[in-house]
């Protein structure tokens, strides 16, 4: 369904209710206040038909596909009813005959060119029919010129209201559509960069796999030779764990996506934090005691968490305070997380930019990790935000629905 066409039909429904009420009020005013001898049955029949059609449209507009031909059919009903009403109430002498121009304007703003031409032809035909076969007004307490002038004034006010209401609604729908297109373009550009990065990463992973395996074997050999030195052996064990972790990451980059998911889906929040502590042993990590460490999540969430922790660690180290605070909670089927650094903070103007991700303390690097994190948040239909921390530093938080982020094992 085209959102803009649907908005157009909804606007037509609103304007049609206004037209129905206006026609009914006009009949009553012209008959009882102005004393005109109007044919009541044909005019009230037109009001009833228009109201009945609008009720039908309002019930069906939400669950039917909207095409330009459908919108033209709706306007054609309005043209037919307007021709009927004008023809029975003065014909060409009726000042409300210029309402045909409103229908042409509506079509020009919302329909393709050929359908706009069709609406214009229908309006010209309707105006010609009402002029040729219209019944002249009879009776009344005022002369015909005064009636025409007052009718023209009322028609101007009514036309102004119609144009204002429709133009503002259509402009709002158009702006919303342009914003959506801009977001899609931005997402497409970002995804192109991510695909290029993934392709390059897979290529580099194949080249790094062999050297890392060789380094692991050499580390084992050196550890056997240093069996009598506990301190050296402990350092070599730590080095071996780091090499194994690097090799697992490299293999994950080189493997197909499904293989990666099967191999990494068993990782829990606790294991992700342990891996991060192994890589950043000089950073003090403080977390809330009730963090769901056993929760197994989508691999992208683990990467997101490590990227945020690394950024916070870099910001804190740059400011001389190598400390990171982590808060993880599960509430109402959603995972809420917040990482607090002790860096120099951020620029308030930059932080106000929607969708902008940046490091509060780190000025070097390409921002690849944050771009991937942003993509992960969007893929899992979550939310990411950045706020200033009390005193010094920044707080980066995220919200993820567990239905999308949790891995069922």
């Amino acid at each position: 369904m085209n959102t803009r066409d649907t908005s157009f039909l909804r606007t037509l429904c609103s304007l049609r209710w206004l037209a129905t009420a206006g026609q009914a009020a006009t009949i009553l005013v012209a008959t009882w206040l102005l004393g005109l001898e109007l044919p009541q049955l044909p005019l009230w029949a037109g009001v009833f038909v228009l109201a009945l059609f609008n009720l039908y449209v309002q019930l069906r507009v939400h669950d039917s596909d909207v095409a330009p031909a459908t919108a033209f059919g709706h306007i054609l009903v309005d043209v037919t009813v307007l021709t009927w009403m004008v023809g029975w109430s003065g014909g060409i002498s009726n000042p409300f005959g210029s309402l045909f121009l409103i229908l042409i304007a509506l079509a020009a703003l919302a329909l393709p060119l050929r359908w706009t031409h069709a609406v214009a032809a229908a309006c010209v035909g309707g105006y010609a029919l009402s002029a040729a076969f219209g019944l002249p007004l009879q009776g009344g307490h005022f002369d015909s010129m005064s009636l025409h002038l007052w009718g023209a004034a009322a028609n101007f006010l009514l036309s102004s209201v119609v144009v204002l209401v429709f133009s503002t609604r259509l402009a709002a729908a158009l702006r919303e559509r342009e914003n959506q297109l801009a977001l899609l373009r931005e997402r497409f550009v970002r995804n192109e960069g991510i695909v290029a990065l993934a392709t390059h990463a897979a290529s580099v992973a194949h080249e790094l796999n062999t050297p890392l395996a060789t380094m692991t074997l050499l580390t084992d050999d050196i550890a056997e030779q240093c069996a009598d030195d506990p301190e050296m052996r402990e350092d070599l064990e730590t080095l071996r764990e780091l090499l194994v972790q690097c090799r697992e990451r490299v293999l994950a980059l080189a493997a197909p996506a499904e293989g990666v998911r099967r191999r990494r889906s068993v990782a829990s929040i606790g294991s992700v934090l342990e891996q991060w502590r192994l890589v950043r042993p000089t950073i003090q990590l403080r977390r809330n005691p009730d963090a769901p460490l056993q929760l197994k999540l989508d691999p992208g969430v683990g990467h997101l968490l490590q990227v945020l922790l690394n950024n916070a660690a870099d910001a804190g180290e740059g400011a001389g305070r190598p400390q990171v605070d982590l808060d993880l909670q599960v509430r109402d089927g959603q995972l809420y997380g917040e990482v607090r650094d002790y860096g120099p903070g951020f620029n308030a103007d930059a932080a106000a930019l929607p969708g902008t991700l940046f490091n509060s303390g780190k000025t070097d690097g390409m921002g690849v990790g944050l771009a991937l994190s942003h993509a992960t948040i969007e893929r899992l239909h979550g939310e990411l935000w950045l706020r200033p921390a009390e005193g010094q530093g920044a707080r980066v938080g995220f919200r993820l629905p567990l239905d999308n982020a949790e891995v069922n094992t």
Side-chain angles (χ1 to χ4, degrees), residues 85-132:
M85 302 296 290
V86 172
W88 283 101
S89 57
I92 195 172
S93 63
N94 190 331
F96 290 98
S98 61
L99 289 177
F100 285 105
L101 295 176
I102 298 296
L103 296 176
I104 296 176
L106 298 182
L109 290 172
L111 296 182
L113 183 60
R114 61 192 185 95
W115 292 108
T116 301
H117 290 165
V119 170
C123 289
V124 170
Y127 186 77
L129 286 175
S130 63

Side-chain angles (χ1 to χ4, degrees), residues 285-307:
L285 177 64
R286 298 192 307 184
R287 60 170 177 82
N288 56 313
D290 57 343
L293 300 181
Q294 303 303 319
L295 189 64
K296 295 179 174 60
L297 301 175
D298 183 277
V301 180
H303 179 266
L304 165 67
L305 190 57
Q306 291 199 7
V307 167

Side-chain angles (χ1 to χ4, degrees), residues 194-207:
I194 291 175
V195 170
L197 176 64
T199 303
H200 180 67
S203 175
V204 173
H206 284 288
E207 298 176 4

Side-chain angles (χ1 to χ4, degrees), residues 311 314-315 318 344-345 358-367:
N311 284 349
D314 293 339
F358 54 91
N359 190 334
S360 62
K362 188 177 180 182
T363 58
D364 57 346
M366 298 179 295

Side-chain angles (χ1 to χ4, degrees), residues 13 42 45 60 71 103 109 117 152 230 277 310 323 400:
C13 286
R60 294 295 301 273
L103 296 176
L109 290 172
H117 290 165
R277 281 197 181 101
N310 283 327
Q323 178 179 328
L400 291 172

